Amino acid sequence: MADPTGFLTTPRQTAARRPVDVRIADWREVNASMRHADLERQAGRCMDCGIPFCHSGCPLGNLIPEWNDLVWQQHWQDAVARLHATNNFPEFTGLLCPAPCESACVLGINADPVAIKQVEIELIDRAWAEGWVTSQPPAPAASAAGRRVAVVGSGPAGLAAAQQLTRAGHAVTVYERDDRPGGLLRYGIPEFKMEKRRLDRRLDQIRSEGAVFECGVAAGGDVSAAELRRDHDAIVLACGARVARALPVPGAELAGIHQAMEYLPLANRAVAGAPAGQAAEPAISARGRDVVIIGGGDTGADCLGTAHRQGAASVTQLEIMPRPPRHRPAGQPWPTYPMTFRVSTAHEEGGERVYAVSTQEFLGDETGRVRALRLAEVDVADGRFAVRPGTERELPCDLVLLAMGFTGAEDGELLAGLGIGLTPRGTVPRDDAYATPVPGVFVAGDMGRGQSLIVWAIAEGRSAAAAADRYLSGTTTLPAVIPASAAPLRLAGR
């Protein structure tokens, strides 16, 4: 079959390529074949790299050149094995990670980087479709020697730790205060960004390997810290950093002003509980409202897409920082992760983005509900924001969503019962092996690192599992991906 576009072949290894058979009766198969061929060609670009830096940009240490080479050679099942060797949940990172690996791609120095995320998600989607993803329960001998471990929290760090420890032979119980496991993967990430079926099938896999989930159980309350220590030989804390950043300006107490993590979980619950094909109306809805989202990050974009789907009259997203450049700034050279102007699918759907503004005050109506906010343009000098005189104006709104990030972990009954205090950064103290000051208690993910990326959470969950296994068994075969002090790629001295 001729290939005039070069879509199916590249100058290298042309004889090894598989043509797409246009005689296939089902055109869905043709489309899948074309997509796979396109991915193979994209993965083949990775082979032009001399010394790869992509796995240095990735805290999981994903073996990106290896599975790209296997995809290029059409050894898809082997590529899945290499992908799973370092990442328990590639479909999560393939959809939700901002891809620091692509920022560190060598080809990105003077061309477009390899589309690593796209290869990753297509690879794992095919693996599920082909039945290549299977349970990996521990051997009977490992289970007989295992100990009892409590994992508190079922977000990406907790799930990674639970799966690794279960596979090592330990009897793992995951405690989740929500009614269903998944943490913010379930109730924080909107369905349009990651379908919950992807989460549910991973949960089924983890259960089939032996882990037990106790949902609707608040650790420290429903089950006390003393009971957790009594009934388990080790504890891994993975509760996240869920204390939201407030906006202390006049009028912040008005009705209609909510944190993003009040709004998004209600929207997700409504979608999950609605009959197929029907819209659901959550307790906090953007339907018919003029919505303002304060915060320009991923959470703000999630609010934006959700507000669109609820039928908002208008949506405006505010960001205090200036609009970033479209291309890598000179002060953020390869292979560091650059702050550039990014457009998510939610932004493509509509709404206005306003940069370099600061909210000065919320204004209410006669019923006590927000009707507008007063904002002003700001300049940044020496790391400080200064209001530009004469730029204040009102922006009408009757729903405000605060998406300004998180300040740290919750300092509640669980930590008090364990006798652990927070650091000045709002995180749980730990050493480089993820151990807290309390013997047998470890911490992973945002609870110990502070607000970070999903790929760091999975890496920390895997590493904390190795530390807990070593504590319980004296040794471990689980990979310790990164020490707790590991940091993203950055310029020396910064």
Side-chain angles (χ1 to χ4, degrees), residues 161-228:
Q163 186 165 57
Q164 293 293 95
L165 286 164
T166 300
R167 290 175 174 178
H170 301 292
V172 176
T173 302
V174 182
Y175 293 91
E176 171 56 58
R177 67 183 178 186
D178 284 331
D179 59 335
R180 300 180 68 187
L184 293 185
L185 290 171
R186 182 173 299 281
Y187 291 129
I189 302 297
E191 180 78 10
F192 68 81
K193 193 171 181 180
M194 188 187 79
E195 306 94 325
K196 299 305 174 282
R197 62 178 175 81
R198 298 178 182 273
L199 171 62
D200 289 334
R201 66 190 180 189
R202 278 297 180 186
L203 292 169
D204 289 342
Q205 180 197 37
I206 295 171
R207 288 190 185 98
S208 69
E209 293 171 352
V212 175
F213 289 86
E214 294 286 348
C215 295
V217 177
D222 298 322
V223 55
S224 69
E227 290 172 317
L228 286 174

Side-chain angles (χ1 to χ4, degrees), residues 79-388:
V80 172
R82 299 311 290 154
L83 181 58
H84 274 138
T86 56
N87 189 352
N88 298 66
F89 315 119
E91 59 269 63
F92 300 170
T93 50
L95 289 170
L96 304 176
C97 181
C101 55
E102 293 186 13
S103 298
C105 174
V106 171
L107 294 185
I109 297 174
N110 58 4
D112 289 334
V114 174
I116 297 170
K117 274 184 59 173
Q118 193 61 39
V119 176
E120 181 179 30
I121 191 62
E122 292 282 356
L123 181 55
I124 190 59
D125 279 353
R126 181 170 181 181
W128 281 105
E130 299 283 356
W132 297 336
V133 182
T134 59
S135 297
Q136 300 178 39
S143 296
R147 310 292 289 277
R148 296 171 299 177
V149 182
V151 175
V152 184
S154 63
L159 292 180
Q163 186 165 57
Q164 293 293 95
L165 286 164
T166 300
R167 290 175 174 178
H170 301 292
V172 176
T173 302
V174 182
Y175 293 91
E176 171 56 58
R177 67 183 178 186
D178 284 331
D179 59 335
R180 300 180 68 187
L184 293 185
L185 290 171
R186 182 173 299 281
Y187 291 129
I189 302 297
E191 180 78 10
F192 68 81
K193 193 171 181 180
M194 188 187 79
E195 306 94 325
K196 299 305 174 282
R197 62 178 175 81
R198 298 178 182 273
L199 171 62
D200 289 334
R201 66 190 180 189
R202 278 297 180 186
L203 292 169
D204 289 342
Q205 180 197 37
I206 295 171
R207 288 190 185 98
S208 69
E209 293 171 352
V212 175
F213 289 86
E214 294 286 348
C215 295
V217 177
D222 298 322
V223 55
S224 69
E227 290 172 317
L228 286 174
R229 298 202 68 190
R230 181 195 67 202
D231 296 338
H232 302 88
D233 300 299
I235 300 171
V236 177
L237 303 176
C239 307
R242 300 184 66 167
V243 178
R245 191 180 304 279
L247 184 58
V249 299
E253 74 289 346
L254 290 169
I257 301 173
H258 304 277
Q259 287 287 348
M261 284 307 147
E262 296 176 80
Y263 172 69
L264 290 173
L266 289 172
N268 274 310
R269 289 177 185 276
V271 170
Q278 296 184 24
E281 199 70 24
I284 303 173
S285 175
R287 187 172 306 281
R289 297 195 178 277
D290 294 310
V291 181
V292 169
I293 301 164
I294 301 179
D298 289 341
T299 303
D302 293 345
C303 292
L304 177 67
T306 301
H308 286 151
R309 282 156 180 77
Q310 291 176 346
S314 69
V315 189
T316 305
Q317 189 175 8
L318 307 182
E319 169 59 55
I320 195 170
M321 296 296 293
R323 174 171 163 165
R326 288 191 175 274
H327 303 289
R328 183 188 289 274
Q332 301 171 34
W334 176 91
T336 61
Y337 184 77
M339 297 302 295
T340 56
F341 181 69
R342 293 178 170 86
V343 179
S344 71
T345 56
H347 294 126
E348 290 175 342
E349 293 169 355
E352 184 180 1
R353 303 167 80 176
V354 182
Y355 289 89
V357 293
S358 175
T359 301
Q360 306 296 296
E361 181 182 8
F362 294 110
L363 306 174
D365 61 17
E366 63 279 1
T367 69
R369 185 178 185 91
V370 64
R371 64 168 181 81
L373 60 80
R374 186 165 55 84
L375 56 78
E377 297 177 14
V378 295
D379 296 310
V380 184
D382 299 325
R384 296 180 178 274
F385 297 98
V387 172
R388 190 180 304 162

Side-chain angles (χ1 to χ4, degrees), residues 408-478:
E410 296 176 0
D411 191 7
E413 294 177 301
L414 176 59
L415 294 183
L418 292 171
I420 301 175
L422 295 178
T423 69
R425 293 180 55 245
T427 58
V428 173
R430 61 186 184 176
D431 63 18
D432 225 19
Y434 298 87
T436 71
V438 179
V441 180
F442 302 84
V443 62
D446 290 1
M447 197 175 192
R449 172 170 292 271
Q451 183 184 357
S452 190
L453 305 178
I454 186 171
V455 68
W456 282 92
I458 297 173
E460 289 216 355
R462 289 170 61 87
S463 300
D469 185 39
R470 185 179 294 107
Y471 169 81
L472 294 169
S473 309
T475 185
T476 185
T477 58
L478 296 178

